Amino acid sequence: RIKNQYQISFNERTDIEEVTDDNQIQCLKAHFITIDQIQQRNIGDMIDVIGVVLSHGPVSPVNLPKGSRSRRPLTIIDSSNHTIELTLWGDHAEQDPGYKHHPIIACGGCRIGEWSGKSLSTSFNSQVHINPDIPETEALASWYANSYDQTNVTKLTNSTVQTRYLQAVDAFSETLLQPGTPNDKPQRSSVEGSVIYIRPDKPYYLACPDDKCNKKVTPSGGEFSCLGCGKPTTDPTAKYILSVKLADQTGTIWASVYGKEGENLLKISANQLRQMQ
């Protein structure tokens, strides 16, 4: 984003010649907001933010429809004592200017996202500067050295980058399609995304009421017969078997949600849903 009154455009007839920098032009012109103010902003808004890097994750490749890109998660904090996760993409992600030393990072043109609360990510047009020579850098460095209170921090993203080693949806899909992977051998991974659709048909199955069994039951002469223990019952219990579509910024994937996880998702039990239908 450029918020200046004028801009310069280049074409094929433009000559560019390197000259010595006289340091008269400010390296970064931004309209920073504090991290706590992000709570009042909308998902998708583009903002400028500056903060101290509290922690950082490893660089990981993400398979996107237009090719692979690098991604690195950071957790940043500012003088509002609020933290948020900032995901760097592409060249910004591959550089490590010494994040373990908690530098000041300024990002112009970050997009607000919704991941475990609110989060930020860079785009192709984002500007990322480490320890930029601006007054905000000196003020934040002084605050972090003298006033930072780690016992009174508010998190806008409800996780930390130390525990986030998740595959992107598109990358996980590619893993499932790798040749040579036996279909009958479970593949374990962690994926996180937003639930964008739940199939309404057959959201649950009728199961044996015996907690030690829980197998599916089938109608049998006015009763139900358990396919596991073989016991008859007139009062089967409903168990969730939801088919949901997950999405993140890389793509979508179908997943199955069972039992208690289904109750956590829909906030009602499968028996309650059965009675409503």
Side-chain angles (χ1 to χ4, degrees):
R1 293 180 306 147
I2 299 176
K3 293 185 177 181
N4 299 322
Q5 185 176 0
Y6 304 101
Q7 69 179 32
I8 300 174
S9 298
F10 300 100
N11 59 31
E12 67 277 2
R13 293 176 293 179
T14 302
D15 292 326
I16 300 177
E17 182 179 347
E18 184 178 2
V19 298
T20 303
D21 190 355
D22 60 6
N23 295 317
Q24 296 300 306
I25 300 176
Q26 187 174 339
C27 69
L28 175 64
K29 185 174 182 179
H31 300 268
F32 296 118
I33 67 171
T34 54
I35 294 176
D36 62 326
Q37 293 175 323
I38 296 175
Q39 296 180 99
Q40 284 74 51
R41 303 297 290 266
N42 297 321
I43 302 300
D45 282 358
M46 305 297 289
I47 63 167
D48 303 332
V49 70
I50 185 169
V52 182
V53 178
L54 275 185
S55 54
H56 67 285
V59 179
S60 58
V62 176
N63 294 319
L64 301 174
K66 294 184 179 181
S68 178
R69 292 186 69 198
S70 299
R71 175 180 63 181
R72 182 196 295 273
L74 309 176
T75 294
I76 64 173
I77 190 171
D78 67 5
S79 56
S80 69
N81 231 40
H82 285 61
T83 66
I84 193 168
E85 181 167 318
L86 168 63
T87 300
L88 305 180
W89 289 89
D91 293 339
H92 297 312
E94 295 174 1
Q95 300 169 8
D96 185 352
Y99 289 124
K100 65 181 180 180
H101 300 299
H102 310 294
I104 308 298
I105 185 170
C107 181
C110 288
R111 181 184 181 277
I112 300 177
E114 189 174 19
W115 181 85
S116 293
K118 283 191 174 179
S119 58
L120 298 173
S121 62
T122 60
S123 66
F124 288 105
N125 297 323
S126 298
Q127 297 183 51
V128 177
H129 298 267
I130 303 298
N131 295 322
D133 186 16
I134 55 177
E136 290 87 348
T137 297
E138 183 177 350
L140 259 181
S142 176
W143 168 83
Y144 184 70
N146 301 302
S147 304
Y148 166 49
D149 181 8
Q150 62 181 347
T151 65
N152 189 31
V153 173
T154 300
K155 298 179 180 181
L156 298 194
T157 310
N158 299 320
S159 67
T160 58
V161 298
Q162 294 96 327
T163 59
R164 185 185 177 194
Y165 295 99
L166 302 172
Q167 279 190 291
V169 164
D170 193 64
F172 181 61
S173 299
E174 291 293 329
T175 300
L176 296 179
L177 296 174
Q178 287 295 321
T181 299
N183 293 330
D184 58 349
K185 185 177 181 179
Q187 300 294 307
R188 299 185 180 274
S189 185
S190 297
V191 178
E192 184 152 352
S194 298
V195 177
I196 61 173
Y197 182 74
I198 301 176
R199 280 184 178 150
D201 54 313
K202 298 181 179 179
Y204 57 83
Y205 68 95
L206 296 181
C208 178
D210 188 340
D211 290 336
K212 296 181 180 180
C213 182
N214 283 324
K215 297 296 184 179
K216 184 178 180 180
V217 299
T218 57
S220 177
E223 295 182 327
F224 293 88
S225 177
C226 178
L227 297 178
C229 63
K231 296 179 181 178
T233 180
T234 58
D235 187 25
T237 185
K239 297 288 184 179
Y240 276 125
I241 182 170
L242 300 174
S243 183
V244 303
K245 181 179 281 190
L246 300 177
D248 66 6
Q249 67 269 31
T250 68
T252 62
I253 192 172
W254 284 99
S256 297
V257 180
Y258 299 96
K260 290 294 184 181
E261 285 71 24
E263 293 185 12
N264 293 335
L265 180 62
L266 297 184
K267 307 304 181 186
I268 62 172
S269 70
N271 281 321
Q272 290 174 310
L273 180 62
R274 179 189 177 194
Q275 292 172 4
M276 295 167 60
Q277 292 182 324

